[in-house]
Structures are given as structure tokens and as C-alpha cells.
Amino acid sequence: MSARHARIFESNPLAAPVAPDLQAFVALAVKITARPEEVTPEDVRAAFSAAQSPRQYFDAVGVMIAFNFITRAANALGVEPEIPGWMRRIEPLRRLGLRAMALFFRLFVNLDGKRVHGPTPAEHLTALRTLFIDLELGDLPAWVERLSFAPPLLAALREFLEALVRRDAATGSIGLDLNQFMAIGRTVLQPIPNAKTLNILAYNWQPAKRAEADEKRTALITRFANDVALRSYTLTRDRIDELRAASFDDAEVLDIVVTTALWGAAARLEVLTGCLSIQESEARSQGSEVRRQESVVQ
Amino acid sequence: MAFIKTISVREADDELRAIYAMIHSDMFGSVPFPVEWTAWNVMQVFSLRPRFLWAFERGFRHFMWDGELSRLAKEAIGVSVAQTNACHY
């Protein structure tokens, strides 16, 4: 992306002069990030129809979800750009440093497309079903099953959930506090009621009986998770210190942030894909294939 | 660099160092930069849980390199989300 385009997107993404399909994706990206509860099936179908193929739509959704995840985690954990502290304190120098960083990326980072090899969608689905059983969450939601149309989304969902839940890669055992995991889930999902199946799943889950001390820790976690989910840019080092004072170590703080960001990403994924039926995806796939063949003949 | 402790390439154990090397190879190919230069802060923040870092790297590959959408479109969507979330990183 050129520096001029980047500046426009950084100031007002909705004003960027881009092709209609990209405009539709950007509008949806802004809405799903800021006001996911207002995203309607009509918004989703409009962006899906604007895409040149279903795969393009699902690719766009993947980027929306990935950046929703990473920007919340980076804000909550105070990740600083790779420019010296003295430059960060003076706005023009900070901008200069960020521009130099972007130039470095453009010059040296290999942007060639890379195929990601790994398990098939069917294998990812099997692994996710097993995870749901091990977490006592019941059946996999139907919209997750339908993600076999979007292998990168399915793969990323499975890989991050497994990384979070199965701490010991060798044994695959569940190493996560399930009460904490689900308490964070309920907190994150509450303002996103249109992620219907995840809300049902979280509210039907029965927490185990806990001691009073655990209740206090859970209350602290959910308050922090709520801020990560809704206003991650306001979080400061003091909030991490508050968790440390309640005996959380830094790895556990990371767990809380990743769990929160992952629930938020999964909820947005349901909103952006849950209303699309298999038939719609298949019909659009066939349509875009016919158009591709026609353009080859011409 | 971040609010929580992170593990640099120099301090990393074999598992973590291998993931840093995988990221370096994906991003820079054969450009001979040291791995220390390319373990970005946003990656190091996951270093206390190497499996998260691995999943993050895989996710980045899935979403930014694979697929049919143009690189420009992916960057535009990414910047739009970052701007909306007020993430300066």
C-alpha cells in the first residue's frame, strides 16, 4: 500500500477512494470492530455479494478477525512499535520512525503469496469437535461446520483454540481453567447478542462450585476482560499490576488477554459467517467459476 | 516494550528459538538479517506461551499470504481495523 493510501486509511478508512468491493469490506470491517452488535445479515450479504468470489469474502473476514484479535492483544499488553523511546515521545519523530519502519517492511519483507500446508478442513473439524467434547461444550455450532468453505478461517480457529486450551502439546491435555475461560466468554459475548450460538453455549455452561477467593479472582478477571473487549486502548500498566497484586503471573495475564481476544474474534466470526448458508456459498462459487471460464474463453 | 515480561531470541529455549527462526524465514526468506532483528515486539509479547506464538505465526500466514484477496485489500482492511481500535502498533 502506498504511503498516501495508508494515510487516508489511518485518518478515515470509510473515505478512502477504492473499488466498490473493497469499500464494502472496509465498511464491514469498521462496523464489526466498533459495533458488532449492529451488524445485520443484510450487511453481511451485501459484502458477500460485492466480493468477486466467496473465497475473497472469507479471506476478507479472516483479515478482519485477525486484526481484531491482534490489535486488542497489542493494546491490552502495551506493545510498543520498534522505534526508540525518545522518538516515541515527540509526535513528528514518532511518525518519522513509523514511516521508516514501514519502508523497511516494504523493502525487505517477502510479500510473495505462500500456500499454507497442513491438515484438511475435515481434519480441522474433527479436532474442533473433539475439543468441544473435552471442554464439555456440546456440539460444534453449525456455522463452524460450514467454515469448510473457508479453510484458513477453520485452521486458524482450531490452531489458536488448541494453543490456548491444550497446554501440553505432547499429551494434548486440557491445561486451562475452564471456569475462567467461560466467565471471560460470557463477559465478551454479552454485548454481542447477534453471536447467537456462542451466547447460548456460554450461558448454558454450568460453572463448578468455587471458593470465595476464586469468585474474587474471577470478578477481577472479568472486569479486565470487559475492558480488553470494549476499550483496549484505554488500558495501562496499572491494570496489569492490579492483576499481579492478585497473584496472577505474567503468563496468566497473557492467557486472560488471549482468551478475551479469541472470544471476541470468534463472536465476530459467527456474525460475519453464521447467516450464510452452504447453498449461498455453493451458488456463488459456481457463479464465479462460470464467470472465470467465460473470461478465459473471451 | 510491553506491560508483561517477554523472552528475547537470546534468552529463548530451543522450542521458542525455532519458532522465531520460522517467522524469520517466512518473512525475510534468504535476506541475511540476524533473527534478533526480526523478532518483532508484537511477536515477542506471546513468548511466555510459545504455542500462542506458533499459532499467531500460522494465522498470519493463513490470512496475509494465502487466499485470493489482493495484498492491498488485506492491508486496507487491517489498517481500518487498527484505526478503529486505536491501535498504533
Side-chain angles (χ1 to χ4, degrees):
Chain A
M1 183 188 294
S2 69
R4 191 179 69 84
H5 267 106
R7 272 199 298 278
I8 296 171
F9 277 108
E10 280 167 9
S11 58
N12 182 4
L14 298 174
V18 290
D21 55 343
L22 183 51
Q23 223 159 31
F25 293 156
V26 168
L28 188 61
V30 169
K31 196 168 180 182
I32 195 69
T33 304
R35 306 180 310 279
E37 73 283 4
E38 292 179 15
V39 174
T40 62
E42 290 70 36
D43 292 329
V44 170
R45 291 207 175 86
F48 186 67
S49 304
Q52 288 169 19
S53 68
R55 181 63 200 265
Q56 277 206 354
Y57 174 76
F58 290 123
D59 286 348
V61 168
V63 180
M64 291 175 210
I65 298 306
F67 275 82
N68 261 282
F69 175 89
I70 196 60
T71 52
R72 279 189 177 78
N75 280 344
L77 296 169
V79 181
E80 290 169 350
E82 282 80 4
I83 49 178
W86 59 270
M87 279 184 94
R88 281 199 296 272
R89 283 190 286 276
I90 304 164
E91 186 54 24
L93 289 179
R94 191 185 72 86
R95 286 190 171 277
L96 185 71
L98 288 174
R99 216 168 285 171
M101 228 178 102
L103 182 67
F104 175 83
F105 263 98
R106 210 170 302 149
L107 290 176
F108 295 110
V109 175
N110 179 2
L111 299 179
D112 295 341
K114 294 180 181 69
R115 284 276 155 211
V116 182
H117 301 289
T120 63
E123 288 167 325
H124 284 309
L125 281 173
T126 304
L128 279 167
R129 276 188 214 107
T130 309
L131 255 177
F132 265 57
I133 291 167
D134 291 353
L135 290 170
E136 298 170 23
L137 294 177
D139 293 336
L140 207 55
W143 63 268
V144 178
E145 301 270 357
R146 292 199 295 268
L147 289 181
S148 50
F149 273 99
L153 286 170
L154 197 56
L157 187 64
R158 180 248 175 125
E159 286 165 359
F160 240 106
L161 194 56
E162 275 194 343
L164 180 66
V165 170
R166 298 199 194 283
R167 292 287 158 73
D168 186 342
T171 64
S173 59
I174 301 287
L176 181 81
D177 180 334
L178 283 183
N179 279 322
Q180 183 179 309
F181 178 71
M182 295 308 291
I184 293 173
R186 287 182 187 191
T187 304
V188 173
L189 291 164
Q190 197 175 17
I192 316 178
N194 43 343
K196 285 180 191 152
T197 63
L198 289 179
N199 267 290
I200 292 169
L201 183 148
Y203 282 89
N204 284 345
W205 196 81
Q206 296 296 321
K209 287 255 181 281
R210 285 173 290 184
E212 197 181 329
D214 282 346
E215 295 287 353
K216 281 186 182 161
R217 274 169 69 92
T218 303
L220 185 62
I221 290 168
T222 51
R223 193 164 63 84
F224 179 70
N226 193 49
D227 288 341
V228 173
L230 298 179
R231 53 192 84 85
S232 59
Y233 46 86
T234 65
L235 291 167
T236 60
R237 192 181 287 275
D238 293 347
R239 298 297 298 280
I240 306 293
D241 289 340
E242 192 184 1
L243 291 169
R244 287 186 182 124
S247 307
F248 289 97
D249 65 29
D250 282 16
E252 289 169 325
V253 173
L254 177 62
D255 291 343
I256 296 167
V257 170
V258 167
T259 304
T260 307
L262 193 59
W263 272 111
R268 286 171 172 83
L269 186 55
E270 176 173 357
V271 173
L272 294 175
T273 64
C275 63
L276 297 170
S277 66
I278 288 179
Q279 289 80 0
E280 278 173 295
S281 296
E282 275 177 347
R284 290 261 5 241
S285 289
Q286 285 161 2
S288 54
E289 179 61 17
V290 168
R291 279 197 300 279
R292 193 185 66 78
Q293 286 173 358
E294 282 171 354
S295 67
V296 169
V297 170
Q298 284 162 6
Chain B
M1 195 204 79
F3 297 156
I4 60 168
K5 181 184 171 352
T6 58
I7 303 170
S8 68
V9 176
R10 199 172 306 165
E11 301 164 311
D13 63 13
D14 289 347
E15 181 193 12
L16 184 57
R17 195 172 299 125
I19 299 170
Y20 280 139
M22 181 174 82
I23 294 168
H24 177 277
S25 155
D26 274 350
M27 287 208 166
F28 293 92
S30 56
V31 179
F33 287 138
V35 178
E36 284 84 352
W37 287 18
T38 59
W40 308 107
N41 293 347
V42 75
M43 295 164 184
Q44 284 194 44
V45 82
F46 294 113
S47 56
L48 291 175
R49 299 277 193 224
R51 291 200 73 198
F52 290 174
L53 180 59
W54 176 84
F56 175 70
E57 150 71 357
R58 293 274 302 176
F60 195 83
R61 276 206 245 178
H62 287 306
F63 296 132
M64 295 310 282
W65 276 308
D66 205 351
E68 292 179 6
L69 201 61
S70 71
R71 178 83 194 189
L72 171 72
K74 289 177 179 180
E75 287 182 359
I77 295 166
V79 172
S80 303
V81 172
Q83 196 270 351
T84 308
N85 254 345
C87 178
H88 301 296
Y89 186 86

